[in-house]
Amino acid sequence: MIEEAREEQITNGQSFSAGGEFRSLDPRVVKLWLVTDLIGYGFLLSIMLISLLVWMLVQPLLSLWLIAGWVVLAGICLWFSFWRPSRAYRAWSYRIDKQVLETRSGIVFHRTRLLPLSRLQHVDLERGPLERMYGLSSLVLHTAGTHSANLRIPGLDAHEAVLLRDRLVEIGGEDAV
Amino acid sequence: MQSELLDFKGRLHPLTLLFGILKGLRGIPLIPLVFFGGRWTWVLPILFMFTVISILSAFIRYFSFSYHIQGNELITQQGIIERKQRIIPLERVQEISIEQSVFQRLFDVVEAKIETGGGQGAEATLSVLSRSEADRLRRAVFDRVEAIKARGVDPELVQPPIPRERMVIHRLGINDLVIAGLTTNHLVSAMVLAGALWNFADDILPDTIYQRAADIIYSLTRQLAAQGAMQAIIIAAVGVFSILVIGLLFSILGSILLFYGFTFSRRGEDLHRAYGLFTQRASSLPRHRIQVLKIEEKMMRRLFGLATLRADTSGRTRENEDDNEGRDVLIPIVKRAAIDQLLPVIFPDYISDRAEWKRVSKLAIRRGMVKGGIFCLLVASALFTYQREFIALWPLLFLPIIYLVNLIRYRNLGYAMGDLYFRTRHGWLGRSTQIVPINKIQAVEVSQTPFDRRLGLATMSVDTAGQAFTGGGPHVTNLPIAEAQTIAATLAQRAGTTNYKW
């Protein structure tokens, strides 16, 4: 399915010039992360709530405080789910510059990762069920390294991800020395 | 010549059966015995069943295990019901290391471990082979690897003939090993071992002997304690000193046991290490597999101008930094000055790469001071609130020492960017230098903690294959952010223009 879409896109000529300017992720990723965070925190909070309720049945001590604490925690998680995705989106950028893929990310801890494309072993295209709903996918780049062995670019438009992957593999395969 | 290379098959040595059975027998009795104590009638049939099962599986493993070389691959097969076939591309074989325990030496059989670039340790372990068979396998694999490489090379280029003899580069005698034992950082663990052993003596020695020894010590102590606090202190000092001595002895013993007869030699592209007293180990390492070379000068060794040479290779995982079996150690102990001559042996084009060491930002000293200072302040205030005396503020006396430590640390911190090699250095009491061939760099990273951002600094780190312990690869902290980005970009580009060879 993705491959058919790719053939359509070639005519649109979305190419990534090798003397790169920074590109952002797809804006839809903000919503995706919001939903993912909400689901994740919601799950944890409900488990917490259930155990709190069970605790309260057994030991009614401090019930009010516990419930109050849970509400505060839920509020913080809710706020965080709305705050983080847009900040993370703004922090994310990537570019291809002189046969090196550079990604920048991180809200509190800034991280720049440089991957010489000739070191690229292979590229995975990943789409979770939620990502599919939003028409997004992630690229995972593999090198032979240890700590930076997997470099993940999330939140790419599905068609662009395929194009980017092909472009990366193409540059990586260009004969060096 | 081609036909010679085509057909290579092998089986494990028949003694594998013996070792397998012994291993099986060894494992059984403990667990059921622990559970059932003295109720032998319950235990016997279970024991019997376990023994039969393990003997049977040893048989199956031996008879079904075979290996052969087909085309460009080494293929091992095992199992009857569930056939397991493992295919190892020959060019990915990094090393075939040979190990021989004391017991195996009695029968002159060895274990061959085939390691590849996957970094998961041994891809396949052949246990046990006769020594001649192991050598035959080794030669067969590496001859083919060379043949494969030769095919890919321009026939115009003249290949230098590969010398048949080994050139010994460095040998370690007993003296060196004793010094290694005396100067090891493992001293603490050796002492802990000594202390633990004392506890064990309680269980091992017959009660009467232990009691008598303890009585003698107690009575001595009481006599001397009766003569005043001074004597008691002396006794305590003697006690600590003897534990120290025992620890040192253990350390020396361990060093000799592990690295006895250490020989570091070279044959063409191959670096070869052979060592060990009870368990003998020999392993080959093609020079170009070395991803990072580390010159470790830990505190004690640095005092005497000594260092340890280690290498990260692409076929190796290390669980922890003190890999006790010495597998990643190129040379356990060597004079620091001698290393400069050794480097061209390991990195043939190193001699032309004399870049200068560059320092990092001076703010590093301030940061270290702030961190240390805050810590001292916290401890001092805690003590002060607890004791309410000015004397409790003694941790503050450490402040000048903290400054000194950070100054030394700053002077040892640095990097050197050459055309072909990138070097980093850090440490204060001990010092550690890492040399990375730029064509081994896989990825580069520049990161900033919130504190880094406030000061405009960053940490730059280089990722290579084959590092598995949490020490982190070559990295430089406290670089001005612009400089860090520039170096990172330069390294990434230079790395990108070279091909990475496994």
Side-chain angles (χ1 to χ4, degrees), chain B residues 198-218:
Chain B
W198 177 252
N199 280 334
F200 264 122
D202 187 354
D203 302 325
I204 297 175
L205 292 178
D207 278 344
T208 44
I209 297 185
Y210 181 72
Q211 264 310 112
R212 224 176 291 161
D215 283 339
I216 297 177
I217 296 181
Y218 287 150

Side-chain angles (χ1 to χ4, degrees), chain A residues 15-25 91-105 111-117 120 139 141 151-154 156 160 164-165 167-168 171, chain B residues 444 446 481-482 484-490 492-493:
Chain A
S15 63
F16 303 96
S17 54
E21 327 79 38
F22 276 101
R23 304 176 60 93
S24 294
L25 304 177
W92 247 102
S93 62
Y94 66 93
R95 69 169 171 175
I96 304 178
D97 185 23
K98 297 199 201 92
Q99 316 204 317
V100 173
L101 172 69
E102 182 177 341
T103 65
R104 297 201 178 177
S105 61
R111 226 176 153 191
T112 306
R113 296 171 82 168
L114 294 143
L115 202 154
L117 286 171
L120 196 58
L139 273 184
L141 294 93
L151 201 156
R152 190 192 192 89
I153 309 180
L156 295 168
E160 280 192 25
L164 180 58
R165 178 191 67 185
R167 184 85 184 109
L168 290 172
I171 302 180
Chain B
V444 187
V446 175
I481 177 75
Q485 300 276 23
T486 322
I487 306 171
T490 316
Q493 275 160 40

Side-chain angles (χ1 to χ4, degrees), chain B residues 230-249:
Chain B
M230 189 56 185
Q231 310 290 44
I233 292 178
I234 293 182
I235 288 300
V238 166
V240 167
F241 182 70
S242 36
I243 292 187
L244 196 77
V245 167
I246 296 176
L248 276 173
L249 282 174

Side-chain angles (χ1 to χ4, degrees), chain B residues 40-157:
Chain B
W40 285 100
T41 43
W42 270 109
V43 168
L44 278 178
I46 300 179
L47 263 181
F48 187 66
M49 201 175 59
F50 272 117
T51 321
V52 167
I53 291 180
S54 44
I55 293 183
L56 218 64
S57 42
F59 263 89
I60 294 178
R61 250 179 292 129
Y62 167 67
F63 280 113
S64 68
F65 193 100
S66 71
Y67 56 90
H68 64 278
I69 296 185
Q70 188 181 340
N72 291 342
E73 297 160 339
L74 171 66
I75 303 175
T76 65
Q77 285 172 326
Q78 182 176 11
I80 297 182
I81 306 173
E82 193 190 306
R83 301 215 95 225
K84 251 197 300 194
Q85 196 187 59
R86 177 159 283 179
I87 305 178
I88 305 171
L90 284 177
E91 31 184 21
R92 293 232 272 124
V93 175
Q94 304 273 10
E95 192 170 323
I96 300 183
S97 55
I98 309 241
E99 291 188 6
Q100 193 182 43
S101 73
V102 175
F103 201 48
Q104 286 161 349
R105 204 180 323 165
L106 282 176
F107 301 96
D108 200 25
V109 289
V110 302
E111 265 184 29
K113 298 196 183 190
I114 302 176
E115 279 146 3
T116 66
Q120 296 302 313
E123 180 94 28
T125 306
L126 302 177
S127 161
V128 294
L129 295 172
S130 70
R131 185 178 272 287
S132 48
E133 177 66 19
D135 285 338
R136 195 173 78 102
L137 172 67
R138 242 245 200 97
R139 250 179 290 129
V141 168
F142 287 124
D143 282 346
R144 273 170 182 73
V145 172
E146 278 168 21
I148 294 173
K149 288 204 206 134
R151 257 182 265 135
V153 167
D154 189 338
E156 300 282 297
L157 284 175

